[in-house]
Amino acid sequence: MSLLPFPSFLDDVQEKGLKKAILEGVDETVERLTAGMNIQDIREALRGDNPSRRPNPRLTPHADGFWLHMRPGYFHQDMTGVYPTFRLGWLSTYFVVFETLTGLLLMLWYTPSPEIAYGNMLKILNNVPMGQFMRDLHRLGAEAMVIIVALHMMRTWVTGSYKKPRQFTWFTGLLLLVITGLLSFTGYLLPWDQLSLWAVTIGASMAEATPVIGEQVNLIMRGAPELGANGLLRFYLAHVLFLPLLLFIFTGVHYYKVIIHGHSLPPQKENIGEDTAKRVPLDKRVYFIPDILTNELMWAAVTTFVMVVLCVWFYHAPLENHADSQITPLGTTAPWYFLWIQGALKLGDKLFWGLIFPTAALGILALMPYLDVTPSRRFAHRRVMLSLAMLTVAFTTVLSYMGLPEFAVSTSAETEILHELSMEPAHNHVGIMRTVPFDQLTPGAYTTHQIGAESASDAASHFTSELFARQVFDVNQGENGGMISEYEFLENRLITTDHLSSVPSSFREVPANSPALLRVLTVFEEELHERSLELPGAWGGIIITDHQDGLARVDMVIVWDGVVIESGRVQVDENGDPVPLMVTDENGNLVQERRIYTKHLYIHADAAYFD
Amino acid sequence: MNRLLIESVEGRLLTGVVMIVAIMIIIGWVMINEPARMAAFEEQHLARSIERGAELFAANCSTCHGKTSLGIGERAPALNNPQLFGFNFVDTLNSQIATRQRRAVDLETALANITTEREEIFAEIGLAETTEERRNAIVARLEEIDFLIGANTEELAAQRAALETELADSNTTEERKTRIQTLVAAIDGNLPAQIAALNTELEPFILQRDAVLDNLIDAVDKGYLPELAAKRAEGGLALTNYLNEDSNRLLQIGWAGDLRSYVKTTLIHGRPGSADVWNGQAMVAWSQTAGGPLRNDQIDDIVNYILNWDKGDAWTLEDLNAVNQFAKLHGASEPAITVPTAGTDVPVILEQIAALETSPDAARGEAIYNGAQRSEAGRRLGCSGCHLGGAQAPATEETWLNTVNERVNLPQYAGFTPEQYLITAIVLPNDYTVPPYASGVMPANFGEQMTVKDIADVLAYLQSYAN
């Protein structure tokens, strides 16, 4: 007979007393929540005792619960160490969760529009407490995830774990690798700075090479011939909806396959052709609860700690200037994990190296378990396959190196030197001219001629008088060019083309209280010396003018004798001297052309550029 | 089991907990530093924005506004300019003067009101219906009024002394004493005396201000405070108010927002109507929002750069005098031209030049050409505004040689001397337009803005590029 018209907790209280009724009620709730483990079972597990009742309650959460149904109930003892899996599969999953959480936080402050995306980045950096920290975590996590997933694939390749029956697991893993790459790539664009726009433009231009439908593929991907509002929105939606959806689905399939087939054991631990993963002897079992679970929780804490330390003290996500489709930065590259494709492109045809080659490489990897059907996973029996794996690593490394702008991209010496000295922060690098402290930017004109001279001030004044005395041929003078003094030549360029208000009438030595400026001049001189074949008779100049309170203007100049350059190479005569670039003057005589290249930058006292 | 790295469950849990606590400590530490970090980022970002703005300004704006934003004569105004930032050279003096002048105006008004009152009540006395009681009241009031507005200070002083004596007399009734106090107060409040005292007080301030204003004359010629001379002639509060308002560009044009919004809006939309005041050259829209070439973040960079010209309270007269051109006001008219101008009849001009008594002055021609000096007709021409560098119109330094080598060989100018061609080009600019420049851009009224001597001098200047 119940106290109420229906059976209730009160009946239990009446029957067992309040304390016992509550304890049993809690115990029952815990058992339901954990899908099989009551308080006593949990206590035993955490103490490291053996389970006190049969059947083992620690296996029921795997059988009956949702959260653990994708994890095996026990591992083979040989599978639990850092070696042989290096925990790369687990780490990949960790980063999926890590990226999802940090990404969700960043979404709160982000709008995918070229009008405001970059402004959002600035707001995240200057107006959102911990904004920079979250962005750093997300960015570093993305880079780490690409590495981890790729290493996970290499590990599987090396240990032959893709072999029967795990062929399809390998295939889903490969899909996950591609999705990871695409996720990282689509995320690259979102800050809408110069780095992202140009890296993605280069990466996306590969799609254009598709035969017949290349233009359409390009349009679908970018939403317009150029990356703009539509392209950004598409990349954003792919980054936060489409690709994560695919990632979660295939992560599910990948995990499910692990349950079905068990972990592959280290090759030497099982007999050839025999898959013993599903038949783990009792004495070799390490149960998920409590050992693997606590171990994974610990690793999650440790990895997060490492990420936090890295992002607080060692790593900050880059943010360059606002994206500008009119200005291509010198030394633009694809994201580093696509550098190998960029390198391959330098080998020849865009269609073959940019599209067929990467697709074929992925295709061969996907088919590998079906082609490599030898039963043995032992290293000794897989010499060809292991060699192939190492060759792939080597080849990709070489191709990636070739993808760097340093390789086989010829930039004229003058452009390169001044770019190096003055570049805005990009790729963790900044031109040393920008790092000169503001109070060392003493107005005046300085020349590389003072470097190495016995008396710097004499060298500078001698240089000045030479500048006025020397007559050079300027092609821009009048209609057919004409002779003017080199000083006038310099002045014309700086005032007319570069909008400088006035050029000092004499050069002077760098004052003693500007050591950083002297260092720039020294590097400048070294660079000019190194490229003296291309730049014969060259001098470099740095002209500093006060512009506003706290704002200085720096003009950097290279003046040299023109030489003949064909396809990036200086033409030399039989003596090894460069062939001078001759032009006809107004009187019909051949004269060597004097050339000038300039670059200017403004430096503000608070700009805080660092090496 | 040892492959799990940490043997016991407790060990693993402890490690995890320690890690999490460490993470929380680090995050707490970061959190404490966040305000400073965000402020530093803000400062750095503003600095770099100014750098980019300087670059954009040099590339896009400096051809009209000058390389150091000092303006180009008759082309575009300075932005590196105290007026834009509302710096008033007579600010403190002006507020001293304004207070006293307003007080003086109040006193004058009071004087006028009381004088009117006196006339009214004086008329009332003579009326038949006025009662005896009212008459007494009026007489008493008239006495007070005379003390208040009386102009003879010596007489007033004597009267005051008499009243004081009466007040001290023990025979005086209490009623009379009260009355005396009222009358003494009226003498003390004598309005003409107060006005005179104020004017004495004002005089040194006015003199000081005049001294400062005399120093502004050079800038006035370049468009600073265009009505200064007229307002100085008017004097009084009108001048004070004019100085207060027109020393500040935003007040001058009645802009309701702040300076940043003013500069930004101008950059975004340009100045569609400014062709009227800038010789047919309007400022175009610069933002993509309004159909221009620049993105809005670039507009912000330029705004930051322009606002960085502000010197706060440190603006000096040198800064003011360095300005080549000040902003103009719509509808402001130039004074009428009183001297005979050249007109548009080329042969006549040629004859008159030949008949000139003085030889042409190339230096004066250059000054007129660059807008640094007015023409004899009193106009600033600023030819160099367009003919600078050859971007908008044929370049100055090439004009003479091109005339000699090319223009006079054109069929329509067969038999022309270079002078004849150039005069035609000045006074009848649409007669022929050098390709690729657009026709109809050059104002066709130079014949009315220059005298024959002006033209002769400018020709001499152009000819100085012959070699």
Side-chain angles (χ1 to χ4, degrees):
Chain A
M1 187 60 199
S2 350
L3 287 173
L4 297 175
F6 46 86
S8 71
F9 178 67
L10 293 179
D11 303 332
D12 286 357
V13 176
Q14 193 184 35
E15 194 181 313
K16 303 168 189 167
L18 182 65
K19 190 178 171 192
K20 197 162 185 237
I22 289 178
L23 282 178
E24 282 185 7
V26 171
D27 204 35
E28 195 185 322
T29 311
V30 169
E31 188 164 342
R32 287 192 186 185
L33 284 176
T34 58
M37 291 176 74
N38 61 31
I39 292 175
Q40 175 64 18
D41 297 331
I42 293 173
R43 193 178 285 153
E44 283 166 5
L46 291 183
R47 278 180 183 155
D49 298 341
N50 288 325
S52 61
R53 60 184 175 116
R54 295 282 150 187
N56 186 349
R58 298 174 191 174
L59 291 176
T60 43
H62 293 275
D64 300 345
F66 171 75
W67 294 108
L68 290 186
H69 85 283
M70 283 205 305
R71 307 305 309 275
Y74 50 82
F75 284 32
H76 191 293
Q77 180 187 298
D78 294 333
M79 285 310 309
T80 54
V82 174
Y83 180 81
T85 66
F86 303 104
R87 304 204 175 278
L88 292 165
W90 178 84
L91 269 176
S92 308
T93 314
Y94 167 85
F95 277 114
V96 171
V97 178
F98 184 86
E99 289 300 283
T100 309
L101 293 179
T102 51
L104 281 169
L105 283 172
L106 287 174
M107 275 170 83
L108 292 177
W109 290 281
Y110 183 77
T111 311
S113 146
E115 287 281 306
I116 31 184
Y118 187 76
N120 285 166
M121 287 299 126
L122 299 179
K123 278 277 168 280
I124 287 175
L125 291 173
N126 71 10
N127 215 8
V128 179
M130 312 298 287
Q132 184 189 37
F133 179 66
M134 279 183 291
R135 196 170 162 259
D136 295 347
L137 285 178
H138 193 69
R139 181 66 181 253
L140 186 64
E143 313 270 8
M145 188 169 152
V146 174
I147 299 175
I148 301 273
V149 174
L151 288 176
H152 183 42
M153 188 205 77
M154 281 315 297
R155 197 280 300 164
T156 313
W157 191 350
V158 168
T159 59
S161 303
Y162 54 80
K163 293 200 173 186
K164 194 181 172 184
R166 297 187 183 80
Q167 300 99 321
F168 192 68
T169 319
W170 165 266
F171 181 73
T172 55
L174 205 61
L175 282 181
L176 288 172
L177 174 68
V178 172
I179 293 171
T180 305
L182 288 177
L183 267 170
S184 197
F185 181 65
T186 49
Y188 222 87
L189 183 67
L190 304 187
W192 203 248
D193 61 349
Q194 279 290 71
L195 176 66
S196 55
L197 179 76
W198 288 97
V200 171
T201 300
I202 288 182
S205 69
M206 252 81 90
E208 258 184 317
T210 322
V212 188
I213 53 163
E215 202 188 324
Q216 280 69 26
V217 170
N218 191 35
L219 276 178
I220 289 171
M221 204 162 68
R222 302 196 211 186
E226 294 291 325
L227 275 169
N230 275 325
L232 180 57
L233 186 59
R234 281 172 200 204
F235 271 66
Y236 176 72
L237 290 176
H239 187 73
V240 303
L241 277 180
F242 180 62
L243 291 170
L245 188 69
L246 288 182
L247 185 82
F248 292 141
I249 290 174
F250 284 102
T251 306
V253 177
H254 201 67
Y255 263 79
Y256 177 70
K257 288 284 165 189
V258 175
I259 294 274
I260 292 290
H261 301 304
H263 292 103
S264 77
L265 294 180
Q268 70 277 18
K269 296 282 181 186
E270 56 185 18
N271 294 327
I272 294 171
E274 193 181 345
D275 185 49
T276 49
K278 288 299 278 182
R279 297 191 299 279
V280 184
L282 275 175
D283 62 335
K284 298 267 187 196
R285 288 181 186 181
V286 177
Y287 284 92
F288 188 83
I289 299 173
D291 286 316
I292 304 295
L293 180 64
T294 50
N295 196 43
E296 287 184 350
L297 287 174
M298 179 193 80
W299 279 117
V302 170
T303 317
T304 310
F305 176 75
V306 171
M307 294 295 291
V308 166
V309 168
L310 286 177
C311 288
V312 170
W313 285 292
F314 300 102
Y315 175 87
H316 292 303
L319 184 70
E320 293 180 7
N321 281 339
H322 193 290
D324 189 338
S325 54
Q326 313 291 317
I327 301 170
T328 317
L330 207 63
T332 301
T333 59
W336 58 266
Y337 40 84
F338 285 155
L339 270 183
W340 59 283
I341 306 184
Q342 205 176 342
L345 279 169
K346 289 181 188 167
L347 290 173
D349 185 49
K350 195 174 178 181
L351 173 61
F352 181 79
W353 288 107
L355 205 73
I356 297 177
F357 164 69
T359 316
L362 278 176
I364 289 169
L365 281 178
L367 288 176
M368 206 161 62
Y370 306 98
L371 299 175
D372 177 23
V373 289
T374 53
S376 172
R377 291 175 53 221
R378 303 255 161 109
F379 296 142
H381 301 153
R382 300 178 59 241
R383 289 184 176 130
V384 174
M385 223 35 194
L386 290 179
S387 309
L388 195 62
M390 294 310 124
L391 268 177
T392 308
V393 172
F395 191 47
T396 314
T397 311
V398 171
L399 280 183
S400 295
Y401 167 71
M402 287 167 58
L404 292 175
E406 283 84 352
F407 183 84
V409 177
S410 60
T411 313
S412 54
E414 68 274 11
T415 319
E416 211 163 275
I417 292 173
L418 290 194
H419 174 74
E420 267 301 304
L421 291 173
S422 71
M423 70 181 279
E424 286 176 357
H427 305 285
N428 300 317
H429 186 58
V430 61
I432 55 168
M433 190 64 229
R434 286 183 193 270
T435 65
V436 176
F438 189 77
D439 54 10
Q440 294 193 22
L441 294 172
T442 320
Y446 309 100
T447 165
T448 51
H449 271 222
Q450 84 160 75
I451 306 298
E454 270 177 36
S455 156
S457 60
D458 287 354
S461 61
H462 181 68
F463 175 77
T464 307
S465 44
E466 251 189 13
L467 207 56
F468 279 96
R470 193 185 308 141
Q471 293 288 307
V472 298
F473 185 76
D474 177 13
V475 282
N476 297 320
Q477 199 59 28
E479 279 179 28
N480 307 312
M483 302 296 283
I484 49 173
S485 80
E486 189 154 317
Y487 179 81
E488 246 181 294
F489 181 59
L490 172 73
E491 202 182 24
N492 284 349
R493 167 74 177 216
L494 289 176
I495 290 189
T496 317
T497 315
D498 295 344
H499 308 287
L500 181 63
S501 42
S502 68
V503 180
S505 57
S506 69
F507 281 70
R508 51 179 287 208
E509 71 168 308
V510 176
N513 55 7
S514 302
L517 183 60
L518 188 63
R519 195 166 67 91
V520 177
L521 216 53
T522 314
V523 174
F524 199 174
E525 168 65 20
E526 281 163 10
E527 297 268 340
L528 287 177
H529 187 71
E530 209 168 284
R531 307 290 288 264
S532 56
L533 190 66
E534 263 182 272
L535 303 171
W539 59 267
I542 296 178
I543 295 164
I544 300 174
T545 30
D546 269 338
H547 192 74
Q548 278 180 337
D549 282 348
L551 187 72
R553 177 182 159 128
V554 180
D555 284 78
M556 308 182 82
V557 192
I558 301 179
V559 180
W560 73 102
D561 290 323
V563 289
V564 180
I565 294 179
E566 268 165 33
S567 49
R569 288 190 182 282
V570 182
Q571 303 296 299
V572 288
D573 59 18
E574 59 270 25
N575 302 325
D577 296 327
V579 180
L581 182 63
M582 303 305 272
V583 280
T584 322
D585 70 5
E586 68 260 60
N587 304 324
N589 300 326
L590 277 180
V591 284
Q592 185 166 14
E593 186 184 338
R594 191 74 172 156
R595 310 204 60 186
I596 182 167
Y597 181 75
T598 55
K599 199 166 177 74
H600 63 274
L601 57 157
Y602 291 87
I603 299 182
H604 192 279
D606 297 331
Y609 293 106
F610 299 107
D611 251 333
Chain B
M1 276 304 281
N2 58 3
R3 308 194 66 175
L4 284 172
L5 221 64
I6 293 173
E7 183 80 24
S8 66
V9 177
E10 293 96 318
R12 292 194 287 268
L13 289 179
L14 185 66
T15 312
V17 169
V18 167
M19 287 296 144
I20 287 170
V21 170
I23 290 170
M24 294 180 76
I25 291 172
I26 294 175
I27 288 182
W29 180 79
V30 172
M31 195 72 201
I32 290 169
N33 289 308
E34 275 299 88
R37 186 199 61 74
M38 291 193 290
F41 179 88
E42 183 82 49
E43 187 182 84
Q44 182 197 48
H45 181 260
L46 175 65
R48 295 187 184 184
S49 170
I50 290 171
E51 291 174 1
R52 289 190 296 272
E55 188 59 57
L56 288 165
F57 190 92
N60 296 296
C61 318
S62 64
T63 33
C64 291
H65 288 281
K67 286 169 178 174
T68 47
S69 291
L70 289 169
I72 292 181
E74 295 301 306
R75 175 70 176 268
L79 306 165
N80 174 10
N81 161 6
Q83 191 187 23
L84 180 67
F85 295 95
F87 182 82
N88 186 343
F89 284 91
V90 292
D91 194 28
T92 328
L93 287 170
N94 231 21
S95 58
Q96 298 278 6
I97 293 168
T99 336
R100 290 176 176 82
Q101 281 179 333
R102 281 194 205 103
R103 173 102 184 96
V105 169
D106 289 347
L107 290 172
E108 302 268 7
T109 316
L111 184 61
N113 288 343
I114 292 175
T115 312
T116 318
E117 185 192 345
R118 190 183 190 287
E119 282 162 18
E120 282 168 6
I121 57 177
F122 191 74
E124 204 182 333
I125 290 184
L127 296 179
E129 65 265 29
T130 313
T131 60
E132 191 63 25
E133 198 183 349
R134 173 69 184 145
R135 275 201 186 113
N136 290 338
I138 288 174
V139 170
R141 175 66 185 151
L142 280 176
E143 194 181 11
E144 284 170 32
I145 288 179
D146 287 340
F147 284 149
L148 270 173
I149 66 176
N152 189 333
T153 39
E154 281 171 30
E155 191 186 317
L156 284 172
Q159 284 168 335
R160 192 179 188 284
L163 286 171
E164 289 282 352
T165 321
E166 195 182 346
L167 191 63
D169 191 338
S170 54
N171 294 332
T172 314
T173 60
E174 279 307 309
E175 199 186 342
R176 178 60 189 162
K177 278 187 179 168
T178 318
R179 174 66 188 156
I180 290 173
Q181 275 161 355
T182 315
L183 292 176
V184 170
I187 294 174
D188 288 346
N190 179 272
L191 291 170
Q194 283 194 54
I195 292 170
L198 261 181
N199 282 334
T200 321
E201 221 178 291
L202 259 173
E203 206 170 331
F205 290 117
I206 300 267
L207 284 176
Q208 283 182 50
R209 188 175 71 177
D210 278 345
V212 179
L213 291 182
D214 287 340
N215 288 328
L216 303 180
I217 297 295
D218 291 343
V220 170
D221 198 41
K222 293 163 182 168
Y224 184 61
L225 302 176
E227 290 169 56
L228 185 62
K231 294 288 178 183
R232 282 184 85 169
E234 201 175 327
L237 201 51
L239 173 62
T240 309
N241 288 340
Y242 175 73
L243 289 172
N244 263 345
E245 286 201 357
D246 284 38
S247 299
N248 183 331
R249 179 65 178 165
L250 297 189
L251 292 176
Q252 187 187 29
I253 57 164
W255 181 261
D258 62 358
L259 184 59
R260 173 173 288 271
S261 69
Y262 173 61
V263 175
K264 183 167 178 172
T265 317
T266 309
L267 278 166
I268 291 175
H269 300 283
R271 274 292 170 72
S274 59
D276 298 348
V277 289
W278 296 112
N279 289 332
Q281 296 262 340
M283 176 172 170
V284 297
W286 283 98
S287 161
Q288 288 175 356
T289 310
L294 300 177
R295 297 187 314 270
N296 281 337
D297 62 291
Q298 292 176 312
I299 296 286
D300 281 330
D301 290 341
I302 301 179
V303 173
N304 287 332
Y305 166 75
I306 291 175
L307 294 186
N308 198 39
W309 283 117
D310 192 8
K311 294 195 174 127
D313 291 334
W315 288 98
T316 61
L317 271 176
E318 286 81 62
D319 296 328
L320 186 79
N321 288 329
V323 170
N324 296 319
Q325 175 69 54
F326 288 87
K328 296 187 184 182
L329 272 179
H330 271 275
S333 56
E334 295 261 6
I337 294 172
T338 50
V339 298
T341 53
T344 55
D345 192 337
V346 180
V348 173
I349 298 174
L350 271 170
E351 281 170 24
Q352 290 176 334
I353 288 179
L356 279 177
E357 286 169 13
T358 51
S359 56
D361 181 352
R364 185 174 171 275
E366 180 175 2
I368 292 174
Y369 192 90
N370 292 328
Q373 186 177 340
R374 288 174 186 268
S375 70
E376 278 188 331
R379 291 286 182 267
R380 287 195 344 134
L381 307 176
C383 316
S384 59
C386 294
H387 288 278
L388 183 87
Q392 313 267 339
T396 309
E397 55 268 34
E398 290 166 11
T399 298
W400 184 267
L401 284 177
N402 284 343
T403 302
V404 176
N405 297 332
E406 292 172 19
R407 311 285 178 255
V408 293
N409 299 332
L410 291 167
Q412 68 266 43
Y413 295 122
F416 271 49
T417 61
E419 288 85 355
Q420 194 177 359
Y421 167 79
L422 284 172
I423 294 169
T424 315
I426 293 170
V427 299
L428 297 168
N430 296 322
D431 202 45
Y432 169 72
T433 309
V434 177
Y437 302 106
S439 61
V441 172
M442 179 161 159
N445 63 351
F446 283 116
E448 280 79 57
Q449 301 194 58
M450 301 167 82
T451 63
V452 170
K453 175 156 175 49
D454 292 331
I455 292 182
D457 290 348
V458 167
L459 288 184
Y461 167 59
L462 291 176
Q463 196 174 1
S464 68
Y465 283 102
N467 33 39

